[in-house]
Amino acid sequence: MTNKDWECVACTIDRKPDYPDLFDTIIIGAGPAGMTAAIYAARRKMKILLICGKVGGQMMWSSDIENWTGVGQATGPELTRIFFDHVRKVDNDNTHFDLWVREDERVEHISGSFDENFTIKTNTNKTFRAKTVICTTGKIPRTLNIPGEKTAMQGNGLSFCATCDAPLYKDKKMVIIGGGNSAMDVALQLEKFTDSVTILAYEKKLMGETCMMDKIEKSPKISVEYGIDTKEIMLDKNNKVTGVKVLQSGTEKMFECEGIFEEIGQIPATDFLADFITLNKGKEIPTDRTCNTAVPGFFAGGDCTDQIHKQVIVAAGEGAVCALEAHEFILKH
Ligand SMILES: Cc1cc2nc3c(=O)[nH]c(=O)nc-3n(C[C@H](O)[C@H](O)[C@H](O)COP(=O)(O)OP(=O)(O)OC[C@H]3O[C@@H](n4cnc5c(N)ncnc54)[C@H](O)[C@@H]3O)c2cc1C
């Protein structure tokens, strides 16, 4: 993944070797919800471990965020940098705050309870214990699960993040699978790099913001095909993308291309919780208004929960609520 706006931060893993045996809270995820939770929890003098996954979360996929109060307009990577600089400032202030940050690490398993403490295992085989847990794992891209897809996504021409990968496709013939705001956003990003962008929409019309549809309609570089059911991603003998095989109104067709973006929505990143907490049908974590879940001491905020409005500012607000609730919870118990 490359991105001019985002320069990878130095990994802070094990920079502070003196890990406590028991944290007050472990925050899983470093999107707007997780980063805000870390800042709030630190200010309540909690001992915190922030296990980031990929810093920024979905903000890193957005080319334009215009509704973060006080900033007006920023790319997702720019806003991520502002958020994470704040977290790092807290992380570096050893005198006042007890925050440990682990980047590029994922939680794979969680067990326990508030009474016996929670135990978290990560993909680096590390185990951490905490009195409370704040889950802010957000969402990940939905995939089609069709032939060719798994190979194509291993750096062979199938991407999910235009903000990160669009520059890799300079002058290439591109296809975007999807027909909503995300698909249109990607098309408008791609037209800055190439003259040939085709949106393959499942529905008979594009679904989303009218102003984006207007831009798509006016662009000489972007065309839209409707009623598309994508069946297979075609690869050459070197496993590079050569096109997509589809059914369009029942007729088999092939769209040749050198790169594909799949923009068919997101699913909650909650698989690792399957044997820990009951999820709703959409795999979201049920929460109440104060981000409490069915498991005492386990809080959840942002896009991984069943709250309706999936936005940066809502996620950040819920991150703050999670931290304040976790702090209260420890005091009460
Ligand atoms: C293309 C696009 C454009 C958007 N534009 C806007 C916009 O203009 N304005 C707006 O307000 N909102 C926008 N949104 C929505 C906004 O980005 C989300 O609502 C917000 O990022 C949700 O924040 P979150 O912290 O809940 O989750 P996420 O941002 O999804 O972050 C989740 C974090 O958890 C980590 N994680 C996941 N699983 C694990 C694990 N097992 N272990 C450790 N870490 C894990 C991830 O790596 C990530 O760090 C956009 C979304 C997309 C996809």
Side-chain angles (χ1 to χ4, degrees):
M1 235 183 222
T2 60
N3 195 301
K4 281 185 189 152
D5 293 333
W6 175 254
E7 156 203 321
C8 256
V9 292
C11 188
T12 52
I13 289 181
D14 291 334
R15 189 173 56 73
K16 281 186 194 168
D18 50 336
Y19 279 61
D21 286 340
L22 184 64
F23 288 94
D24 289 323
T25 196
I26 292 178
I27 301 167
I28 314 173
M35 288 194 271
T36 309
I39 291 162
Y40 268 73
R43 297 180 65 78
R44 292 280 155 140
K45 300 294 283 177
M46 295 170 85
K47 279 191 177 15
I48 312 144
L49 178 64
L50 173 64
I51 303 178
C52 294
K54 292 282 171 203
V55 171
Q58 293 170 70
M59 284 198 296
M60 289 299 289
W61 313 341
S62 176
S63 60
D64 192 18
I65 296 179
E66 297 186 345
N67 50 5
W68 177 255
T69 312
V71 169
Q73 195 277 332
T75 67
E78 281 165 358
L79 208 52
T80 297
R81 187 195 297 275
I82 294 170
F83 279 37
F84 199 57
D85 278 353
H86 193 166
V87 172
R88 274 194 291 176
K89 205 169 156 210
V90 174
D91 178 28
N92 289 332
D93 185 349
N94 296 327
T95 326
H96 294 100
F97 302 118
D98 287 322
L99 170 65
W100 282 257
V101 179
R102 295 180 72 84
E103 290 167 51
D104 290 322
E105 188 164 3
R106 304 184 63 75
V107 172
E108 292 197 327
H109 193 258
I110 170 164
S111 58
S113 65
F114 177 70
D115 296 328
E116 59 190 35
N117 297 321
F118 294 97
T119 302
I120 298 262
K121 290 202 173 112
T122 73
N123 60 337
T124 61
N125 281 328
K126 298 265 183 196
T127 301
F128 301 103
R129 289 164 62 248
K131 294 177 192 168
T132 63
V133 173
I134 296 174
C135 183
T136 64
T137 47
K139 291 196 160 186
I140 49 174
R142 187 188 297 281
T143 53
L144 286 162
N145 297 322
I146 53 172
E149 189 182 47
K150 273 216 170 83
T151 307
M153 70 171 75
Q154 287 157 12
N156 291 317
L158 171 59
S159 293
F160 296 86
C161 172
T163 321
C164 323
D165 292 351
L168 303 178
Y169 295 104
K170 192 167 183 315
D171 298 328
K172 303 257 195 249
K173 198 169 178 182
M174 299 302 297
V175 152
I176 299 162
I177 301 170
N181 278 332
S182 301
M184 290 191 276
D185 182 68
V186 170
L188 294 169
Q189 289 185 59
L190 278 177
E191 71 164 358
K192 294 180 188 134
F193 296 95
T194 178
D195 289 346
S196 171
V197 181
T198 306
I199 298 177
L200 302 182
Y202 182 78
E203 305 288 347
K204 297 245 153 50
K205 57 178 186 173
L206 292 175
M207 322 274 268
E209 286 176 23
T210 322
C211 61
M212 267 211 266
M213 287 186 211
D214 289 346
K215 284 185 194 166
I216 299 281
E217 216 166 83
K218 281 183 192 141
S219 170
K221 299 177 182 177
I222 303 171
S223 59
V224 189
E225 297 281 339
Y226 299 97
I228 300 281
D229 186 4
T230 309
K231 291 296 181 194
E232 186 172 348
I233 293 181
M234 311 305 291
L235 307 165
D236 66 14
K237 61 180 188 322
N238 297 318
N239 283 334
K240 297 289 171 202
V241 163
T242 57
V244 281
K245 198 190 274 182
V246 307
L247 281 182
Q248 188 171 25
S249 311
T251 308
E252 196 172 284
K253 270 194 179 177
M254 169 88 168
F255 288 92
E256 285 180 8
C257 63
E258 295 158 282
I260 302 170
F261 280 85
E262 273 184 23
E263 294 296 332
I264 54 166
Q266 284 91 36
I267 47 169
T270 51
D271 278 356
F272 72 104
L273 296 171
D275 61 357
F276 177 73
I277 193 167
T278 308
L279 303 170
N280 71 10
K281 275 189 196 153
K283 288 190 166 185
E284 296 167 329
I285 307 166
T287 53
D288 68 13
R289 283 187 65 192
T290 49
C291 299
N292 282 261
T293 69
V295 177
F298 180 82
F299 303 87
D303 282 17
C304 64
T305 75
D306 61 351
Q307 64 86 1
I308 298 165
H309 304 291
K310 314 289 190 197
Q311 290 284 286
V312 172
I313 204 152
V314 177
E318 290 198 346
V321 173
C322 284
L324 298 175
E325 285 291 309
H327 180 251
E328 283 286 303
F329 186 85
I330 292 173
L331 288 184
K332 273 188 202 151
H333 295 82

